[in-house]
Amino acid sequence: MSQQRPSRVDSDSMEYDKDPDLPSNEVTQGAERAPHRAMFRAMGYDDEDLASPMVGIANPAADITPCNVHLEDVADAAYEGIDDAEGMPIEFGTITISDAISMGTEGMKASLISREVIADSVELVAFGERMDGLVTIGGCDKNMPGMMMAAIRTDLPSVFLYGGSIMPGEHEGREITVQNVFEGVGAVASGDMTEEELDEMERHACPGAGSCGGMFTANTMASISEALGFAPLGSASPPAEDQSRYVEAERAGELAVEAVEAGRKPSEFLTEDSFENAITLQVAIGGSTNAVLHLLAMAAEAGIDLEIEEFDEISRRTPKIANLQPGGTRVMKDLHELGGVPVVLRRLLNADLIHGDAMTVTGRTIAEEIDHLEDQGRLPPEEEVEADWLYTVDEPKQEEGAIKILKGNLAPRGGVLKVTGDDKFHHEGPARVFESEEDAMRYVQEGHIESGDTLVIRNEGPRGGPGMREMLGVTAAVVGQGHEEDVALLTDGRFSGATRGPMIGHVAPEAYVGGPIAALEDGDQVTVDIPDRTLAVDLSEEEIDRRLEERDAPDPPYTAGILAKYVRDFGSAANGAVTNPGAKEQ
């Protein structure tokens, strides 16, 4: 486990030459800690290890999703990096939930809850075992924010490490992802695709390990980790099964030891500017709506005042410059081949759209990191970056960013929309109200959907679900049946990062707590207007109040077990649906 290196042990006193302020001294220093050291020795650690900074590797490896199935190997590479840098690597596990496999089932309610459990569990291990630093690894969607939230809470020197994305599959001579399969379900229901073709697509969409390949939630949050400063620039884009992924893992381990020795904590580089940079990147690349929820939660954990309205303000001044799935055609491996996320950050920096002086975990600013990559030859010169799907700020794909925050008498605290089509979209149509995702999916699959409909799915919010189920099954079925442009959908739940079309999620307040969405009835005329940022129903305030007063308060959806706990504990989506009491207060 240990390697030859200069001794950090005083052989006369058997004291370990470590920074006296490191938390691990509490379990490695002094005669009274002999029993503790005995436990470490049982696992193969020696004097040199015990004289080194203790760096935890939080690893959600699991066989329940391709996003995480390879993370044991990624963690091994990080372990080597820590060991080579004269740190003491300690790997421990935590959970994950496969969003794609739980999608469309009751089990999807566990997804957002898993973000909280991951954050809690990593915080507990780091606190309980007196660790000095962390490498936190993420694969599936909620791993990323959960791991970064844990690092923020512990405020230990920490590096975030992404497991990498899956390569695209191939079907009939074209690249496909799991998004195509979900939309294929709708196409089969409408008769536009045969079950045999869907079966063939299913067998080729996901060819190996890694997170979903488009700019869905996992790749969005991995990209954002760079903009926040939690991960070194260039580390998000290498594919899961590419050797460069393991090079990045080793670097993450080495950097974690360096961060510990420099005392470089999240609280020292996470600022309002960091979060503004993250939002700017999100809207410029057409990132997932889930990032709104997660960034709000992470800012709350960090004690940084971030309001949901700021996403819209930044989106209004930031053009969309990447044509990535689901709104476009390209996937993460295509961005990697151009130079990765730093290519986009450089264009935003050169246009004065991000704060170049924001610090990162490397000890360099964002601007210095870009220069550093250029000097190393790891980032091609701007003039050599040529792709018809990656636009410039001066000639963007769309004049505004992809994320819109809509408000009105249906969403006083906001609803979130990602534009994947016409950013001038205006829709007025009758509400078709459903009390659950299952009811809505049945309606769509049975062919009842009509042009002009406004589908409303409620009781799927943070507390009403609980857990804000993602509804890619429904949204993909709507799109798959050819209604991407003429049917709107709104919900107090969430959407997958692969969702496209005029779909408004995170409607707040949610139905369960008496939000206006609970007052809607079939036939009410609903307006969705992107330019005006409007989500409203043609009802007076008095009528909405009357309906809410006459409504029977819903019973808790669960009364026992972990889901009942989160019915009680989740906060509003407008604040990130946090559960940490301290973060709620902030």
Side-chain angles (χ1 to χ4, degrees):
M1 184 170 295
S2 61
Q3 300 192 2
Q4 293 297 318
R5 53 200 184 198
S7 178
R8 297 185 177 196
V9 185
D10 184 329
S11 58
D12 294 328
S13 65
M14 289 308 296
E15 290 294 323
Y16 300 104
D17 182 20
K18 294 171 68 173
D19 181 339
D21 294 327
L22 290 179
S24 65
N25 288 328
E26 297 177 33
V27 294
T28 63
Q29 295 285 298
E32 69 276 15
R33 299 307 183 203
H36 306 67
R37 293 192 294 271
M39 298 293 284
F40 283 118
R41 295 185 196 284
M43 295 180 285
Y45 293 101
D46 62 16
D47 287 346
E48 298 296 342
D49 294 310
L50 294 166
S52 304
M54 186 189 300
V55 179
I57 303 170
N59 183 9
D63 291 344
I64 60 175
T65 170
C67 309
N68 292 44
V69 72
H70 64 302
L71 293 188
E72 200 61 57
D73 293 335
V74 174
D76 286 347
Y79 191 108
E80 290 300 320
I82 295 168
D83 199 47
D84 289 346
E86 299 189 352
M88 179 180 175
I90 297 183
E91 183 182 351
F92 61 95
T94 187
I95 68 158
T96 191
I97 298 292
S98 172
D99 285 11
I101 293 176
S102 63
M103 192 77 66
T105 75
E106 186 179 15
M108 187 66 204
K109 297 182 180 188
S111 171
L112 187 60
I113 292 173
S114 77
R115 181 191 75 179
E116 303 301 297
V117 173
I118 290 166
D120 289 350
S121 63
V122 175
E123 178 191 8
L124 279 173
V125 174
F127 173 81
E129 301 304 312
R130 317 313 290 154
M131 290 180 175
D132 302 320
L134 292 168
V135 173
T136 59
I137 304 176
C140 201
D141 295 5
K142 305 311 171 293
N143 300 174
M144 268 66 79
M147 290 294 183
M148 287 185 273
M149 287 162 65
I152 292 169
R153 290 183 195 172
T154 64
D155 203 29
L156 293 175
S158 302
V159 179
F160 176 75
L161 172 61
Y162 183 39
S165 62
I166 197 171
M167 296 295 284
E170 185 174 322
H171 175 64
E172 295 185 344
R174 65 187 178 101
E175 291 186 347
I176 61 170
T177 67
V178 72
Q179 172 192 344
N180 302 97
V181 185
F182 274 102
E183 293 178 3
V185 174
V188 168
S190 64
D192 293 329
M193 181 183 290
T194 66
E195 290 189 17
E196 290 74 20
E197 183 178 352
L198 180 62
D199 177 76
E200 187 68 18
M201 184 181 290
E202 164 199 331
R203 296 174 186 276
H204 294 90
C206 300
S211 305
C212 297
M215 192 49 68
F216 310 151
T217 304
N219 280 325
T220 299
M221 294 307 299
S223 300
I224 280 173
S225 72
E226 293 190 25
L228 280 172
F230 252 124
L233 263 59
S235 64
S237 63
E241 297 184 316
D242 192 282
Q243 182 56 36
S244 57
R245 169 52 53 203
Y246 299 92
V247 172
E248 293 298 339
E250 283 201 44
R251 285 182 180 144
E254 294 166 358
L255 179 57
V257 177
E258 178 190 316
V260 171
E261 292 176 341
R264 202 175 296 132
K265 302 176 180 180
S267 59
E268 295 182 1
F269 62 80
L270 286 180
T271 63
E272 289 184 23
D273 286 353
S274 306
F275 280 89
E276 288 185 7
N277 286 349
I279 296 168
T280 302
L281 178 67
Q282 175 198 7
V283 302
I285 61 178
S288 170
T289 53
N290 284 305
V292 175
L293 198 74
H294 300 326
L295 283 169
L296 286 168
M298 291 164 63
E301 299 280 4
I304 291 171
D305 185 19
L306 179 64
E307 301 293 334
I308 195 169
E309 291 81 6
E310 292 182 50
F311 288 83
D312 200 72
E313 293 169 8
I314 292 172
S315 194
R316 285 180 185 271
R317 65 175 185 254
T318 306
K320 180 181 177 183
I321 62 174
N323 194 35
L324 293 159
Q325 289 188 15
T329 58
R330 298 295 180 147
V331 295
M332 191 64 150
K333 68 98 175 171
D334 296 310
L335 182 59
H336 178 64
E337 290 170 358
L338 291 185
V341 175
V343 170
V344 180
L345 289 172
R346 182 172 58 190
R347 291 189 177 182
L348 297 172
L349 176 65
N350 290 341
D352 292 325
L353 290 170
I354 63 171
H355 304 281
D357 58 353
M359 293 300 299
T360 76
V361 68
T362 66
R364 293 182 288 269
T365 66
I366 287 280
E368 289 169 342
E369 272 283 88
I370 290 172
D371 289 342
H372 180 65
L373 290 180
E374 290 175 337
D375 292 343
Q376 287 187 321
R378 296 175 57 205
L379 180 61
E382 175 62 37
E383 59 271 17
E384 294 181 11
V385 179
E386 297 182 5
D388 59 6
W389 58 270
L390 187 63
Y391 298 75
T392 64
V393 171
D394 292 334
E395 297 182 14
K397 178 174 173 56
Q398 291 175 327
E399 293 297 326
E400 291 187 356
I403 297 295
K404 317 291 183 184
I405 306 300
L406 278 55
K407 287 194 170 184
N409 64 358
L410 274 179
R413 298 197 65 194
V416 182
L417 166 73
K418 177 170 72 174
V419 173
T420 59
D422 182 8
D423 61 1
K424 305 298 183 186
F425 181 83
H426 177 91
H427 174 91
E428 295 182 32
R432 308 294 183 211
V433 182
F434 305 95
E435 304 300 334
S436 70
E437 177 186 2
E438 287 83 358
D439 291 344
M441 187 64 173
R442 192 176 306 112
Y443 179 88
V444 173
Q445 289 295 84
E446 289 175 355
H448 301 306
I449 192 169
E450 296 180 7
S451 178
D453 277 351
T454 305
L455 306 183
V456 179
I457 307 175
R458 62 192 179 196
N459 300 312
E460 295 284 3
R463 295 180 61 191
M468 299 182 75
R469 279 193 287 184
E470 293 180 3
M471 302 187 193
L472 180 58
V474 176
T475 62
V478 171
V479 171
Q481 291 186 26
H483 291 290
E484 181 180 356
E485 302 294 339
D486 61 3
V487 168
L489 188 153
L490 62 100
T491 180
D492 50 11
R494 296 183 295 126
F495 299 124
S496 163
T499 288
R500 60 191 177 109
M503 316 293 181
I504 303 96
H506 309 197
V507 171
E510 63 176 295
Y512 183 78
V513 301
I517 189 175
L520 280 176
E521 297 177 358
D522 281 344
D524 289 340
Q525 284 295 118
V526 174
T527 297
V528 177
D529 191 288
I530 293 178
D532 288 343
R533 305 295 199 268
T534 299
L535 179 59
V537 60
D538 188 16
L539 295 174
S540 67
E541 186 175 338
E542 292 74 19
E543 175 62 14
I544 292 174
D545 290 342
R546 182 190 68 78
R547 291 185 186 182
L548 292 175
E549 287 174 6
E550 294 179 356
R551 143 186 189 268
D552 292 331
D555 294 327
Y558 297 87
T559 57
I562 191 168
L563 272 72
K565 176 180 173 181
Y566 286 91
V567 171
R568 179 196 68 197
D569 288 352
F570 266 129
S572 171
N575 295 329
V578 295
T579 60
N580 179 356
K584 282 185 180 181
E585 290 169 8
Q586 292 163 355

